[in-house]
Each structure stands twice: as structure tokens, then as C-alpha cells.
Amino acid sequence: MRRSANRQRLNVWVVVFFVAAAVAALRADDWPEIAGKGRLGVWNETGILDKFPEGGLKILWRTPIRAGYSGPAVADGRVFVLDYIETQRPRGIERALALDEKTGKILWSQEWTADYRGISWPVGPRATPTVDGDRVYVVGADGKLFCLNVKTGEIIWKKDYVREYGADRLKWAFDWGFASSPLVDGDRLICLVGGQPDAKVVAFDKWTGKETWRALSSDTELGVAQPIIITGGGTRQLIIWYPGAVASLDPITGKVYWEQPYKVGGSMTVAIPVQHGSQLFFTTFYDGPLMLALDDKKPGATVLWKGKSDSEIQTDGLHAVVTTPTIIGDYIYGICSYGQLRCLRAKTGERIWETQAVTKERARWASGIIVRNGDRLFINNDRGELIIAKASPDGYHEISRTPLIKPTSPPQNRRELVNVNWMYPAYANKHIYARNDEEIIAASLAEDGR
């Protein structure tokens, strides 16, 4: 009897173990922050379709929302997104919304007033929500930070970069608005604030909102970069890219490990830095690419190579606008200043090939968002199309293309389709979640069409 009881208990624990493992696997398929978990632009799910259906993607649901550049985040059965309702220009209401992942039903909304004075492209919030457990962290375009309960939308704590930290959004080219998504690291929430004194970047206690540390002078532009955590020289490093330099900090204390000068025009620190082994890659619209070589024994970096051109037209390397590149093997793939998908040699920056096929139109700021799934690239271009492609040193190989979502955002330059779609999508649970200024949609990418 005792042996039988022990065997039963063992069987129960085995079942519990595998259920827990299955639940963990499901959670790993979520997309809790900009560019996915770790901000890597990598989607690891399998069972994804090889080509798009001839009649287009199966749309699971469509939910009307208002304007904004903020991409969606998906976690634990909910989709989180920000939007903006203009009331009396240049003021309005920003909202955080939580939707049911399966139905698109709005579960809750939290709103606050916003002042868009001095902000160019005043369409709406820029920063993608960051989900961490039972909390979601959101930042509005005028610098209001909220920690919200994921189930109810209740405000747990909040900060105001302008009022509490003296961030001057009219002085240092803040015309883009605050666009950096908060980064969770342990018990810390790391944010680009632009505060005074020496509070360009601030770490808050993620539970209470209390300041943990601050670093870097705000006597220069803040930019719109996304902070990331890398490992180099055996050390975890917080990378803060601002117009003028790349800085590496200790994410626990805010201590500066190293800084590398890097000129960036127009505060356009848009593309997320990409680590590939001991290499760390950056690219910007006016001033082109920078490849750093990370020290393998201690925190440190040297310039491996840098683009020579500061022209948006006569470009020698990769002058990205919105697009975060991907590095596969020894090659970099990204979209340049006028929509050219380019392949560069990672070790030298030498251009291997380029094509206009992804964006079709050779136009200023023509862009797309690249996400890697296995050996394929999923690219949603700013014309509202979704593309499956393979990129290799021998050229661009398009597999499939389909309409995804209507482009609705004014690019403020002449474009063939008048408007564009520059928003990051989310890939979760075999679906893509995409938004424009009118709606957010969920479309199946599962090989079985479900």
C-alpha cells in the first residue's frame, strides 16, 4: 500500500511538472515589450505558416481604437496598447487599453490628460507598453509614466518627467515626444527621463516608483532610443544611446562603465541597438552605421568600423529610420533611408547588395519592421503589407506577401499611398497583432489557420 501511495504521489508530481512546463512554454510565446522579450526582434514560435493564404490572412478580430504610434504588447491573454484623443489642439486625452487576446474586447481603459505643445507628428503616444507580471508600465508622449494593474487598469504609482524631474521637452529637440519604452531589470524600471540634475536615465523601484538611481547629464538631447541590456566582457551592461554618444552603465547602480562618441542628427536614435556576439551595432538616418567591438574581458568597447557618410541620400552603409536591423551569421540586413533593404558585411560594413522590393517606393523614410522567425524574416512594410522573406548574402528571396492593415499615419512628406504605418506589431501565440490610427487587429499566422 505504501509503495502504491508513493507511486501515486510520484505520478502527481510528474503531471504537475509537465503542466508547469507547458504553462511556461505558453508564456514564452508572449510579446511583453517592444520588439519582443529582450527587445531582440526574434519570434521563436514554431507551427507557423509557410505562405500566406491567397485570400489573405484570417482576421481573428478587429477593435476600433484611436491614434498613436505605440505598438501593442501581449501577455497572459491580454493585449495592451496606447492611443490619443485630441480634445482642443494641441491637448487631448491619452489612454492605456487592455483587450482580450482571443476576442479583442476592451477589458479596461485608463486615461489622463496630455499636452502636445512642441511635439511634431502629434498623432499620439510613441512608447510600447512593457508588461511585467501583474503590472504594465506605460509612458505618454508628454512624459507621464504610469504603473498599472494588468487586470483592472488601476494606477499603482505614477511619475511626471516634466513636473517632477524638470525635463525640458522644448529645449533639447523633444519635438519627437517621449518615445522610449520602460525597461524592467530585476526590481528596477529603467527609463529615459531627460531630467535635472544628471537624470537623463533614471531607475525606479518597479514596485513603488521610488527612485533607485539616476545617471548621465541632461545638458544634451535625450533622443528616442530604447534602453537594452547586453552581456559583454562577462558583465551585464545597460546600453543607453543618446544623440552624441553610446553609454554603458551598471544596471544595478547606474555607474558608467564606458562612453563612445557617436554623432546623431535630429535626435533620431530610433533603431534598437543589435548585439551579435562581441559586436554591437547602431544605425541612424543622417549619420549612418556604427559597429562597436565589445571587450571580452571587462566592460569596454572600441570602434570596429563606422559609416563615412552624413548624407541621407548619398549613403555608404545603412542609414535606418524606423527599422531595427537583424544580424544573421556574418551579415547585417536592414532598411536604409529611402526604403532600400540592404545587406552589409558585419565585420567591415561593406555593402553586399540592396533591393527596393520590400518597400516598393523609393521615398524618404520608407520603412518596415523586421522580425526573425527561424531562418525567415517577417517584415511589415509601411504600406501596410506583411512579407515573408529569406535574406542571404546572395540576395533577397521573397516567399510571400499579403495586405495586413491600412496605413493611416501622415508621413509629412509626399508618398504614393499618402499615409504610412510605422507601428511595431506584436507576434504572440501564432498571431500577429497590428494597429493603425483607427483599429487594432489580430490575424492568424498558424500553419493550421486557427
Side-chain angles (χ1 to χ4, degrees), residues 22-240:
V23 170
L26 287 174
R27 288 177 180 168
D29 292 339
D30 283 341
W31 198 265
E33 59 184 329
I34 186 169
K37 188 173 178 60
R39 307 189 172 189
L40 301 174
V42 176
W43 179 34
N44 291 314
E45 283 190 277
T46 57
I48 305 304
L49 49 70
D50 294 321
K51 292 185 177 181
F52 299 126
E54 289 187 10
L57 293 176
K58 176 184 177 182
I59 305 299
L60 184 65
W61 48 258
R62 297 178 182 272
T63 299
I65 60 172
R66 305 299 286 270
Y69 290 115
S70 166
V74 182
D76 293 329
R78 289 176 170 84
V79 180
F80 302 91
V81 71
L82 305 181
D83 68 3
Y84 175 70
I85 303 169
E86 188 175 81
T87 53
Q88 186 175 5
R89 195 169 191 176
R91 295 174 175 84
I93 302 294
E94 290 182 328
R95 302 188 303 173
L97 305 172
L99 293 76
D100 184 275
E101 182 185 345
K102 299 297 184 184
T103 66
K105 177 184 177 182
I106 295 177
L107 301 174
W108 56 256
S109 69
Q110 180 64 256
E111 62 182 46
W112 56 90
T113 58
D115 181 355
Y116 277 29
R117 283 178 299 169
I119 295 178
S120 299
W121 286 272
V123 172
R126 285 88 158 102
T128 296
T130 300
V131 189
D132 179 57
D134 62 356
R135 301 181 181 209
V136 57
Y137 302 93
V138 299
V139 175
D142 70 347
K144 295 183 180 71
L145 166 67
F146 295 89
C147 169
L148 306 176
N149 183 294
V150 299
K151 292 184 178 179
T152 66
E154 174 190 3
I155 298 174
I156 300 172
W157 57 263
K158 61 183 179 179
K159 297 289 179 181
D160 188 320
Y161 297 167
V162 175
R163 182 174 60 83
E164 297 179 56
Y165 280 85
D168 189 342
R169 61 192 179 90
L170 300 180
K171 182 179 180 181
W172 293 120
F174 279 78
D175 50 328
W176 301 114
F178 292 88
S180 297
S181 298
L183 174 67
V184 173
D185 180 57
D187 290 327
R188 294 165 296 281
L189 186 74
I190 299 168
C191 304
L192 263 66
V193 172
Q196 299 289 351
D198 299 328
K200 186 184 292 291
V201 54
V202 178
F204 301 99
D205 182 298
K206 73 177 183 180
W207 306 108
T208 66
K210 181 181 178 180
E211 182 181 319
T212 301
W213 56 256
R214 61 174 64 190
L216 302 178
S217 169
S218 287
D219 291 340
T220 56
E221 299 169 61
L222 180 66
V224 294
Q226 309 299 329
I228 63 169
I229 301 284
I230 68 166
T231 298
T235 305
R236 296 178 72 253
Q237 302 177 45
L238 168 66
I239 300 300
I240 302 294

Side-chain angles (χ1 to χ4, degrees), residues 133-428:
D134 62 356
R135 301 181 181 209
V136 57
Y137 302 93
V138 299
V139 175
D142 70 347
K144 295 183 180 71
L145 166 67
F146 295 89
C147 169
L148 306 176
N149 183 294
V150 299
K151 292 184 178 179
T152 66
E154 174 190 3
I155 298 174
I156 300 172
W157 57 263
K158 61 183 179 179
K159 297 289 179 181
D160 188 320
Y161 297 167
V162 175
R163 182 174 60 83
E164 297 179 56
Y165 280 85
D168 189 342
R169 61 192 179 90
L170 300 180
K171 182 179 180 181
W172 293 120
F174 279 78
D175 50 328
W176 301 114
F178 292 88
S180 297
S181 298
L183 174 67
V184 173
D185 180 57
D187 290 327
R188 294 165 296 281
L189 186 74
I190 299 168
C191 304
L192 263 66
V193 172
Q196 299 289 351
D198 299 328
K200 186 184 292 291
V201 54
V202 178
F204 301 99
D205 182 298
K206 73 177 183 180
W207 306 108
T208 66
K210 181 181 178 180
E211 182 181 319
T212 301
W213 56 256
R214 61 174 64 190
L216 302 178
S217 169
S218 287
D219 291 340
T220 56
E221 299 169 61
L222 180 66
V224 294
Q226 309 299 329
I228 63 169
I229 301 284
I230 68 166
T231 298
T235 305
R236 296 178 72 253
Q237 302 177 45
L238 168 66
I239 300 300
I240 302 294
W241 178 28
Y242 64 91
V246 176
S248 166
L249 285 67
D250 181 342
I252 298 176
T253 66
K255 173 188 174 182
V256 177
Y257 286 132
W258 53 265
E259 286 194 76
Q260 171 61 50
Y262 182 23
K263 176 186 173 184
V264 175
S267 290
M268 295 182 71
T269 53
V270 185
I272 301 172
V274 180
Q275 182 183 15
H276 183 68
S278 62
Q279 298 174 325
L280 187 60
F281 183 67
F282 303 80
T283 174
T284 183
F285 177 69
Y286 291 110
D287 301 287
L290 170 70
M291 179 66 87
L292 298 181
L294 299 170
D295 193 296
D296 61 356
K297 294 182 179 178
K298 65 182 188 304
T302 56
V303 175
L304 184 60
W305 55 265
K306 187 180 184 302
K308 298 180 177 63
S309 170
D310 60 2
S311 166
E312 65 180 79
I313 299 174
Q314 300 298 325
T315 54
D316 64 325
L318 185 64
H319 291 229
V321 187
V322 175
T323 309
T324 296
T326 187
I327 303 179
I328 303 173
D330 295 327
Y331 299 91
I332 302 165
Y333 304 93
I335 298 177
C336 202
S337 55
Y338 279 63
Q340 316 96 310
L341 178 67
R342 285 183 174 170
C343 171
L344 307 184
R345 195 179 303 277
K347 292 181 180 179
T348 64
E350 172 195 3
R351 190 194 310 172
I352 305 301
W353 55 257
E354 76 171 30
T355 177
Q356 205 74 42
V358 169
T359 59
K360 295 182 180 178
E361 182 182 12
R362 192 177 183 88
R364 195 178 197 226
W365 308 322
S367 301
I369 307 298
I370 300 174
V371 169
R372 184 177 174 185
N373 178 254
D375 63 350
R376 301 181 299 171
L377 304 180
F378 280 73
I379 309 171
N380 64 307
N381 66 20
D382 62 11
R383 300 171 70 91
E385 299 171 319
L386 183 62
I387 299 165
I388 301 175
K390 284 189 178 182
S392 70
D394 66 3
Y396 169 73
H397 307 279
E398 185 166 312
I399 298 169
S400 191
R401 182 185 296 237
T402 191
L404 177 65
I405 196 166
K406 175 185 174 184
T408 59
S409 303
Q412 296 193 10
N413 61 21
R414 188 173 180 178
R415 294 296 292 271
E416 183 180 79
L417 298 183
V418 181
N419 291 323
V420 295
N421 184 272
W422 283 336
M423 296 77 160
Y424 267 82
Y427 293 84

